[in-house]
Amino acid sequence: MSALRFAAIGLNHDHVYGQVNVMLRAGAELVSFQAIEDDLARTFKERFPQAERADDRRRILEDPSIQLVVSAAISDERAGVAIDAMRHGKDVMLDKPGMVTLEQLAEVRKVQAETRRIVSILYSEHFETASTVKAGELVKAGAIGKVIHTTGLGPHRLRKPTRPDWFFDRPRYGGIIADIAAHQCEQFLFFTNSLEAEVLSATVANRANPDTPGLQDYGDIHLRTPTATGYIRVDWFTPDGLPTWGDGRLFIVGTEGTIELRKYIDIAGRQDKDHLFIVDRSGVRHIDCCHVELPYGRQLAADIRDRTETAMGQEHCFKAMELALKAQALAEISSSSQTQK
């Protein structure tokens, strides 16, 4: 069986390297890439010399041998890349946020329904994080009973001098909830096993960066399904003293136990990342998840071949972005009302 052939369009976020590596690990072949920025293209070519740089995205879109397009373009351009790719018969893997407005989401949904192509968003804090994958296995096996609540924390380090201008332009990056909290929205849906969710409240603010007024450096959300609730907090306040980009955590409350994930670092002193703590009737356990398989890439490759939805359900993918975008809009309405008082 021949390898799946794929290409990249838009290299504006470093997440593109994770997207490409996911598929390379699954045995796919990186054929080509397109970017208008010479510096980004040069770095990408150094990392993946096997890929040919296309001078025009149409060379990729019109190549019938390319089955999948991955994109980490500027956030407000990703929906357009997805739509073009689907209309040329290609499946798509986007970096998050896949869309920055509800209107973009509606259009991507429409074209996906018309073309029956796959649109997948690589929510890396789930699919590329071994402790989250392991927690999913435990929850599915009933280890903590029925999930009734999740708390997702997503602090990030700002690294302001290294960021491109679009990163501080609200219409371009989508706002902090759309940009970051889409991860936690996806995990809330996944662990509560629900597609029926609503946003109860949401907040965004710029607390400490008046020199970049378009930046939102703090956001939170309160969510509800018919059987569970969730709380999400995201921010750009990871201190420089932390030896990684953010102390991402997830807390899962079940009717028979709890799970805590310390995804990227254990500030209590354990080495490495992907620490899982489970508490149930039998006691407390720590599980080192560093050897857990990450199945997303091989599952997506199989879905592209077999036209299935094993990596991530299509509606689940869209619903996570819908929640994040609705929360973003609600938070900005609330913020505007407070400002006017």
Side-chain angles (χ1 to χ4, degrees):
M1 185 182 298
S2 59
L4 181 151
R5 289 165 59 86
F6 74 105
I9 296 177
L11 313 178
N12 299 88
H13 198 295
D14 283 350
H15 285 167
V16 71
Y17 295 100
Q19 293 171 274
V20 169
N21 282 322
V22 160
M23 298 314 300
L24 292 177
R25 292 197 304 268
E29 176 187 355
L30 177 61
V31 177
S32 56
F33 68 95
Q34 186 269 332
I36 61 174
E37 303 88 354
D38 289 338
D39 57 335
L40 298 180
R42 182 166 52 252
T43 302
F44 190 85
K45 181 68 173 178
E46 290 170 357
R47 184 83 65 91
F48 304 112
Q50 73 271 33
E52 176 188 358
R53 183 181 184 184
D55 54 4
D56 190 306
R57 73 171 57 179
R58 287 175 296 183
R59 288 184 54 198
I60 293 172
L61 297 174
E62 295 172 4
D63 183 342
S65 75
I66 295 174
Q67 299 159 272
L68 172 70
V69 168
V70 305
S71 181
I74 296 174
S75 301
D76 66 337
E77 297 176 356
R78 293 172 192 169
V81 172
I83 289 167
D84 284 349
M86 286 189 287
R87 285 180 172 157
H88 284 83
K90 320 240 181 258
D91 296 315
V92 183
M93 182 215 291
L94 299 174
D95 182 22
K96 62 79 218 162
M99 309 88 198
V100 298
T101 66
L102 287 164
E103 291 76 18
Q104 283 189 344
L105 173 61
E107 184 64 18
V108 172
R109 269 183 158 148
K110 175 175 176 289
V111 175
Q112 189 279 324
E114 291 170 353
T115 62
R116 307 310 301 169
R117 307 317 302 176
I118 294 169
V119 178
S120 190
I121 298 174
L122 181 53
Y123 296 106
S124 57
E125 293 190 29
H126 177 178
F127 299 111
E128 280 294 281
T129 305
S131 55
T132 316
V133 172
K134 181 63 176 179
E137 295 172 358
L138 291 168
V139 168
K140 185 176 181 180
I144 60 169
K146 183 176 179 60
V147 172
I148 61 169
H149 182 81
T150 70
T151 297
L153 307 180
H156 285 57
R157 177 173 288 120
L158 184 54
R159 296 186 289 111
K160 187 181 289 187
T162 70
R163 301 288 184 176
D165 290 343
W166 63 265
F167 180 86
F168 304 99
D169 186 341
R170 162 60 186 87
R172 303 228 67 187
Y173 75 88
I176 191 170
I177 290 178
D179 181 34
I180 299 179
H183 284 300
Q184 286 75 23
C185 288
E186 187 277 327
Q187 290 165 70
F188 174 70
L189 295 177
F190 175 78
F191 285 107
T192 60
N193 191 29
S194 179
L195 291 175
E196 299 179 60
E198 61 177 324
V199 180
L200 298 178
S201 66
T203 301
V204 293
N206 182 327
R207 300 294 190 195
N209 291 276
D211 58 316
T212 50
L215 176 70
Q216 295 166 356
D217 56 24
Y218 176 86
D220 59 39
I221 319 174
H222 188 196
L223 300 168
R224 177 173 63 190
T225 75
T227 60
T229 56
Y231 173 74
I232 295 166
R233 190 204 80 218
V234 292
D235 63 65
W236 289 104
F237 291 114
T238 292
D240 289 342
L242 192 76
T244 188
W245 57 266
D247 185 13
R249 297 191 187 187
L250 177 66
F251 302 82
I252 308 168
V253 180
T255 54
E256 299 177 21
T258 63
I259 290 173
E260 177 185 347
L261 308 184
R262 297 183 178 182
K263 297 187 178 188
Y264 309 111
I265 189 171
D266 176 16
I267 59 173
R270 289 181 177 86
Q271 296 299 305
D272 302 319
K273 59 181 183 176
D274 284 309
H275 298 279
L276 184 152
F277 302 87
I278 180 168
V279 185
D280 57 21
R281 292 172 180 169
S282 63
V284 180
R285 285 180 290 149
H286 166 256
I287 300 175
D288 181 351
C289 302
C290 65
H291 299 298
V292 172
E293 184 212 359
L294 301 174
Y296 171 84
R298 65 169 174 79
Q299 289 174 336
L300 181 59
D303 289 341
I304 291 169
R305 180 188 67 236
D306 302 330
R307 311 318 296 169
T308 50
E309 296 186 11
T310 62
M312 174 170 40
Q314 188 61 76
E315 184 54 29
H316 175 91
C317 172
F318 287 148
K319 187 65 178 182
M321 277 309 316
E322 179 187 316
L323 274 182
L325 291 168
K326 284 183 174 180
Q328 183 72 50
L330 178 62
E332 290 178 348
I333 290 171
S334 175
S335 175
S336 177
S337 298
Q338 291 294 321
T339 300
Q340 292 172 10
K341 286 183 180 180

